[in-house]
Amino acid sequence: MRVVRPVIVEIHEVVSELDRLRSELAHVNAKLGRLRHPFRSPLVFGVAYFLVPAVLLVAAHVLVTIVLNVSPLYLRLASLIVPLPFGLAVYARERVGVRGALLLGIVTATFAILCMLTVTGLNDNVPIIPGPWIEWREAIEYGLSIALAFVTGNIVGFLIFQALPRMMAGGGKPNAVAYNMARALGQHVGEEQLRRRARVIQNLMRTIGPLAGIVMTASGSLYTGLKGIVGW
């Protein structure tokens, strides 16, 4: 029994290391794919993760404000929901991180809002460019809510495709911080139990970070998106 347990621990560590290498390989393959196809990759990327969500956002704007002429609350909710799957997909397929998702969200939001302002100006025969500061502020807050929704989806993608698989695989060899926290919870345990406790702590640390990021970005997206509608 004493011989079997160390072997099992070593197997878990090997599996975790393989999962880590597989994740790094996915990042490398995504970068190599963009380098091998310097013209096709930006085109596909721009269409799939920029043009399509922008078109969907503008279509929602036309449907809510012109065709149905209902409460703008539905438009704000659609603008929170539409970017989420694209933020998730850009991590799952392209391995683009939070900064890239934020930049993509800002660019998409800016383009979509310009198109919305143009449609509204032509339909209502009003100036396309916002006039008073309050209109600029609403446009900026609206764009920020769209960008944060992109980031929320991106963090969800990281949680699903990287953090949770590592946790299910056992989390790898615990780092020094996890060991110190495990010892602080009680030193009078065996080395194997201490390592298992440190691994659990490390897995929780890896998972809590993305979860906190999801809560913060989703809350920010909801607040900035619905602030002007519900009077927050």
Side-chain angles (χ1 to χ4, degrees):
M1 191 67 177
R2 293 179 181 178
V3 177
V4 173
R5 285 184 177 177
V7 172
I8 294 176
V9 171
E10 290 180 2
I11 292 174
H12 276 292
E13 291 181 354
V14 170
V15 171
S16 299
E17 183 66 16
L18 288 175
D19 287 335
R20 184 185 66 81
L21 293 174
R22 190 179 296 113
S23 177
E24 292 182 359
L25 181 61
H27 282 275
V28 173
N29 286 336
K31 292 180 179 179
L32 287 176
R34 291 192 286 268
L35 292 174
R36 289 171 181 170
H37 307 284
F39 298 105
R40 187 183 68 181
S41 294
L43 179 62
V44 173
F45 189 92
V47 171
Y49 306 112
F50 166 70
L51 188 60
V52 172
V55 169
L56 291 177
L57 289 169
V58 176
H61 171 77
V62 172
L63 181 65
V64 171
T65 62
I66 298 177
V67 178
L68 300 178
N69 193 22
V70 294
S71 170
L73 176 63
Y74 297 103
L75 175 62
R76 296 302 178 94
L77 291 176
S79 299
L80 297 175
I81 295 173
V82 167
L84 284 173
F86 293 95
L88 189 153
V90 79
Y91 180 85
R93 294 185 60 86
E94 309 296 337
R95 286 300 189 268
V96 173
V98 171
R99 288 180 294 181
L102 179 60
L103 178 61
L104 178 63
I106 291 173
V107 173
T108 304
T110 302
F111 177 74
I113 290 174
L114 287 175
C115 292
M116 293 177 192
L117 291 173
T118 302
V119 170
T120 301
L122 295 176
N123 182 75
D124 299 341
N125 196 23
V126 298
I128 295 175
I129 302 300
W133 163 244
I134 187 172
E135 295 180 0
W136 279 101
R137 187 182 67 182
E138 289 178 356
I140 293 172
E141 290 175 349
Y142 187 34
L144 184 60
S145 70
I146 295 173
L148 290 177
F150 262 98
V151 175
T152 302
N154 186 264
I155 299 176
V156 171
F158 170 80
L159 185 66
I160 293 175
F161 294 102
Q162 185 162 336
L164 288 181
R166 282 187 180 182
M167 186 174 181
M168 295 294 292
K173 185 178 180 180
N175 55 38
V177 176
Y179 262 119
N180 291 333
M181 294 178 67
R183 291 191 182 96
L185 295 176
Q187 298 182 358
H188 304 291
V189 294
E191 181 63 26
E192 182 182 342
Q193 186 175 352
L194 184 65
R195 178 183 299 182
R196 186 161 52 246
R197 182 187 298 173
R199 185 178 293 113
V200 172
I201 293 173
Q202 180 169 272
N203 289 335
L204 290 175
M205 292 170 61
R206 287 176 174 173
T207 308
I208 288 174
L211 287 176
I214 291 172
V215 172
M216 288 188 294
T217 55
S219 299
S221 182
L222 283 171
Y223 177 76
T224 54
L226 303 180
K227 177 182 176 183
I229 303 298
V230 300
W232 289 344

